[in-house]
Amino acid sequence: MKLLIVESPGKVKKIQGFLGSGWRVEASVGHVRDLPLYDMGVSPPNFRPSYAPTERGKSVLAKLASAVKSADSVFLAMDPDREGEAIAWHLEDALRLENPGRITFSEITEKAVKMALEHPRALDRNLVAAQEGRRVLDRLVGYMVSVPLSRAIGGKKSAGRVQSPALRLVVEREREIRAFKMTTHYGVELVFDALDNITPGWKANWLAKAWLGPGQEYLLEKEKAVRVAAMRRVKVLACQDTETKAVPPAPFTTSTLQQAASNSLKLSPKKTMEAAQRLYEAGHITYMRTDSPNISEEAVAEIREYCRNSNWPVVATPRRWKSKAGAQEAHEAIRPTHIEVEEAGDTDSEKALYTMIRLRTLASQLEDAVFAVRTALLQGEDIEGRMPEFEAKGRTLVRPGWKMVMAADQTEDGEEEADNPVPQLNAGSLLTVGGGKVVTHKTKAPPRYTEATLVKALEGRGIGRPSTYAAILENILGRGYVRLEKRALAATADGEAVVDALMGRFAFLEFSFTKELEDDLDAIAEGRTGYIDVMRKMHHCLEQELGLFQAATVTPCPDCGKPLRRIVRAPGKNGQGGYDFWGCSGYPDCPATFADNGGKPGHRLEKREKPPLSTHKCPECGKPLAHRTKDGPGAYNFWGCSGFPNCKVTFQDDNGKPEGAE
């Protein structure tokens, strides 16, 4: 019996059906081991991680170990990326496999799976090291920086190697919006009646730039616009016909799929990837984590043949797209596995996503869309020695090309240019203006990021990789550093506080530094640099920065010398129970507390007498409960275990008794 281990249980039944008897297909259900939960799990000088089975991984490994015992040979078919390579290595190591066959396929079809099994390879240790490097770098930043950060600004706060730069983008955009000052400026639009009862009404816009004063960006004087709008006769200076072409968008990468799904289907990156995962596991699309915009030559040939049979205009030479700088993965763009299948997926989201992927794939091999463009330059009558000029531009689709199958590129969140049927005009002829109107414009603040535009910004700066975008967004939203307001990302006070505390003190907040680290991970994957060298560089940088950060933010306790930490709790819904003060990190051995004074420790707070112990027992540890009360600002009234901080059980007060306690 041969054993094939895949990642997802969703693939098992389908692949088992391809292979039949003599094979057993099992799933690892993703990662089976990880760094420990309550310990950093990695330390200098070699930075070798200490792994432990995950809670789910324990039972999975036990089941797989039993399957391995009865197998003649074992094949590892994890996903074709760094994460998949790392999962395969963890299985090899944990199950003590000897020379397992590593196979990959970018589509779950019988042909692809069987072809992969004919060409197994050894595990790629460089890819494993690159994934391990990402995990360790994230752990170093999270463990080394989060505690000092929390101590400095209060509450439980976290820093992240890619999470924090992403948060910085949102915070800086929020502040740009806050600082924005609106400018009202003016333009003029002339409207012309139908010409010879053939051409419907058309428009021309005033070219106001020549009327601006030194340093002016906009026309601010409305009276000038009013005089120009009163123009009723204009002369044609020129009329030119040209042609423009629009190429189809490239097939989807992970990033562009998330952007298009957000704009067109209103799906979050997380929901998009979940739906794409299900489509992939069901065999409908190729692997959905990729930064390549190109598809295989075999698939291109099939797509072009399908388009010809549909009588669509196929481009003469198969299209290829240039990958973005830093593109790393070898798999092709996201496409249907069977282009002739028009509908796939179980849910509405899956069906809509599949349709979007399919149409974009088809469009990629069709001819350009061709537009006829007519541009007319008009001149008005003299106004105080100056002749205002106007431009009328119209565009008409003459050959739809790829637009036969899709209207626009869904990754662009904008409107199509409106038609303006400018007639054929002769230079020197005079035209009568049907009407003129002053158009009032107001400058707009830069828009808040949406999930789609933040993914685009991260990709453009080289922050993160295809597999990480959804997790980055989930982190900053889940930690309350950013909130969603009508699909836009708004920074919270906590998010701003985190960025302010880190900015200028830690290099991982700098976009260029973060990109360089991503490049270092790519270099590890390609065998151009070593894992330990990259880890040591980051660790050394963090140690130096942490020393300076703590020197600037740590106040020693005057009683014992240990660092003071800010302790913040927001008021409850009833407005009670909130507090903000500084306490010694040596508590309970050192109970010193100090008032908060603008983010710094202030005067010493009076030591309160410990509340008397009651006869009510803590249901968790059996120690007596104590009734804790305080009047005035930050008032509270509750019952807590006398074993605090080791036991944190609390109860609401119910007329002088702990509610629900014995």
Side-chain angles (χ1 to χ4, degrees):
M1 187 270 292
K2 296 178 181 179
L3 174 64
L4 178 67
I5 306 176
V6 297
E7 273 188 57
S8 171
K11 303 174 187 177
V12 171
K13 185 177 179 181
K14 193 171 190 69
I15 295 176
Q16 184 72 68
F18 297 155
L19 301 180
S21 60
W23 283 88
R24 178 175 174 180
V25 183
E26 294 288 351
S28 73
V29 200
H31 276 281
V32 292
R33 300 194 307 189
D34 197 5
L35 294 170
L37 278 176
Y38 303 109
D39 181 59
M40 188 155 72
V42 61
S43 59
N46 294 324
F47 299 96
R48 285 299 163 209
S50 171
Y51 292 111
T54 63
E55 205 52 46
R56 183 190 64 239
K58 292 175 185 175
S59 58
V60 170
L61 284 171
K63 181 180 179 182
L64 292 177
S66 174
V68 166
K69 287 179 182 178
S70 57
D72 302 321
S73 54
V74 180
F75 295 84
L76 303 174
M78 282 63 247
D79 289 342
D81 55 14
R82 294 178 189 173
E83 201 79 15
E85 205 71 16
I87 293 171
W89 174 80
H90 278 287
L91 289 171
E92 180 193 52
D93 188 60
L95 297 171
R96 298 179 182 177
L97 303 177
E98 292 186 11
N99 302 316
R102 172 74 170 115
I103 68 166
T104 59
F105 36 81
S106 61
E107 58 185 65
I108 302 177
T109 59
E110 185 170 356
K111 178 181 177 182
V113 172
K114 289 185 174 179
M115 186 177 293
L117 285 167
E118 290 173 5
H119 302 92
R121 59 169 174 82
L123 265 72
D124 188 326
R125 305 292 168 172
N126 290 332
L127 286 183
V128 174
Q131 189 278 338
E132 190 166 75
R134 176 183 294 283
R135 186 72 186 94
V136 169
L137 285 175
D138 291 344
R139 179 57 68 100
L140 289 176
V141 173
Y143 261 72
M144 293 176 71
V145 181
S146 296
V147 172
L149 173 67
S150 301
R151 184 181 294 136
I153 63 177
K156 189 176 181 181
K157 301 295 187 292
S158 72
R161 185 182 63 85
V162 288
Q163 164 195 309
S164 297
L167 176 60
R168 176 189 165 188
L169 283 171
V170 178
V171 167
E172 289 182 346
R173 178 60 58 85
E174 194 72 24
R175 289 175 174 172
E176 282 180 62
I177 295 169
R178 227 179 272 154
F180 173 78
K181 296 190 186 316
M182 185 186 69
T183 299
T184 301
H185 59 105
Y186 304 94
V188 172
E189 183 181 83
L190 301 184
V191 180
F192 295 86
D193 296 330
L195 189 68
D196 299 329
N197 297 318
I198 297 173
T199 305
W202 51 284
K203 299 171 183 178
N205 292 302
W206 178 30
L207 302 174
K209 188 174 182 179
W211 293 61
L212 302 180
Q216 264 192 315
E217 190 176 352
Y218 306 106
L219 183 80
L220 307 179
E221 300 87 355
K222 185 177 181 180
E223 60 275 11
K224 288 183 182 179
V226 170
R227 295 181 67 182
V228 172
M231 196 79 54
R232 289 297 174 265
R233 296 278 286 176
V234 296
K235 181 172 73 173
V236 179
L237 295 180
C239 185
Q240 183 180 22
D241 286 337
T242 56
E243 193 175 80
T244 62
K245 296 179 179 180
V247 300
F252 283 124
T253 62
T254 302
S255 168
T256 55
L257 179 68
Q258 291 177 2
Q259 292 169 51
S262 177
N263 290 334
S264 183
L265 307 179
K266 311 307 180 203
L267 292 178
S268 70
K270 182 182 179 183
K271 294 291 185 186
T272 298
M273 296 310 291
E274 288 173 350
Q277 178 84 34
R278 290 191 292 269
L279 288 171
Y280 167 64
E281 290 173 358
H284 299 311
I285 64 170
T286 54
Y287 191 55
M288 65 289 162
R289 290 191 179 92
T290 175
D291 50 13
S292 171
N294 293 301
I295 55 184
S296 69
E297 291 183 8
E298 182 182 4
V300 167
E302 291 175 359
I303 292 159
R304 291 168 65 82
E305 183 62 25
Y306 180 87
C307 291
R308 288 192 192 96
N309 292 338
S310 301
N311 294 317
W312 292 340
V314 179
V315 68
T317 304
R319 293 186 192 273
R320 299 284 297 173
W321 279 266
K322 184 178 179 181
S323 296
K324 71 176 181 65
Q328 65 195 21
E329 307 296 358
H331 4 292
E332 57 183 316
I334 305 165
R335 63 167 175 85
T337 53
H338 303 286
I339 197 65
E340 71 279 4
V341 176
E342 295 184 5
E343 185 178 295
D346 296 327
T347 67
D348 289 344
S349 294
E350 290 171 33
K351 290 175 183 177
L353 196 67
Y354 177 81
T355 298
M356 198 169 69
I357 292 168
R358 180 175 181 270
L359 294 182
R360 187 155 168 140
T361 304
L362 290 167
S364 72
Q365 294 303 320
L366 298 183
E367 290 182 348
D368 296 346
V370 180
F371 295 86
V373 179
R374 178 169 292 157
T375 306
L377 184 63
L378 315 174
Q379 186 181 69
E381 298 166 333
D382 182 278
I383 297 178
E384 296 180 356
R386 282 192 288 185
M387 316 279 273
E389 293 186 353
F390 305 84
E391 182 185 69
K393 181 178 274 191
R395 190 177 80 149
T396 306
L397 181 64
V398 291
R399 292 199 299 278
W402 61 273
K403 285 183 173 286
M404 292 182 68
V405 297
M406 56 184 288
D409 181 355
Q410 303 102 321
T411 58
E412 301 298 327
D413 194 10
E415 296 181 1
E416 285 278 288
E417 187 177 329
D419 288 338
N420 185 25
V422 180
Q424 178 62 53
L425 302 170
N426 296 319
S429 61
L430 296 176
L431 303 176
T432 300
V433 179
K437 66 176 181 178
V438 174
V439 181
T440 301
H441 302 283
K442 295 181 187 295
T443 56
K444 294 181 179 179
R448 282 173 170 163
Y449 286 107
T450 62
E451 291 179 298
T453 57
L454 184 59
V455 165
K456 188 174 183 179
L458 292 170
E459 183 183 40
R461 286 175 169 81
I463 300 170
R465 285 295 183 258
S467 61
T468 64
Y469 299 135
I472 292 169
L473 283 160
E474 191 176 1
N475 272 338
I476 61 176
L477 284 163
R479 297 183 193 281
Y481 299 153
V482 170
R483 66 178 180 275
L484 270 175
E485 291 185 3
K486 297 180 180 177
R487 299 185 62 240
L489 298 169
T492 64
D494 275 355
E496 293 195 45
V498 167
V499 170
D500 286 341
L502 299 175
M503 195 67 199
R505 290 168 168 158
F506 292 95
F508 65 84
L509 256 287
E510 302 301 327
F511 302 132
S512 59
F513 185 87
T514 304
K515 182 183 183 302
E516 286 168 13
L517 272 181
E518 294 289 353
D519 293 341
D520 286 343
L521 292 172
D522 294 347
I524 294 173
E526 294 160 14
R528 293 185 286 108
T529 193
Y531 164 87
I532 293 177
D533 293 337
V534 175
M535 299 307 110
R536 283 178 178 169
K537 180 178 77 171
M538 183 65 178
H539 186 262
H540 178 69
C541 180
L542 279 175
E543 279 194 317
Q544 288 186 316
E545 291 170 341
L546 275 169
L548 295 172
F549 180 76
Q550 296 195 72
T553 59
V554 168
T555 302
C557 174
D559 292 358
C560 71
K562 291 184 178 179
L564 295 181
R565 59 192 178 98
R566 192 176 180 185
I567 302 167
V568 180
R569 178 179 173 181
K573 292 182 179 179
N574 59 2
Q576 294 184 337
Y579 47 75
D580 186 351
F581 67 94
W582 290 77
C584 182
S585 57
Y587 182 84
D589 296 330
C590 180
T593 56
F594 303 84
D596 178 67
N597 182 17
K600 298 286 184 182
H603 64 272
R604 184 187 292 269
L605 297 174
E606 291 182 13
K607 186 176 180 181
R608 289 191 296 273
E609 294 295 326
K610 288 186 177 180
L613 303 180
S614 71
T615 56
H616 301 285
K617 300 294 184 183
C618 173
E620 294 292 328
C621 69
K623 290 185 178 180
L625 298 180
H627 190 189
R628 304 179 188 277
T629 61
K630 180 189 171 186
D631 297 324
Y636 52 77
N637 181 6
F638 69 96
W639 291 74
C641 180
S642 59
F644 182 85
N646 296 323
C647 181
K648 297 182 174 65
V649 171
T650 60
F651 298 89
Q652 295 289 330
D653 178 64
D654 181 14
N655 294 319
K657 295 181 180 180
E659 186 178 63
E662 295 181 2

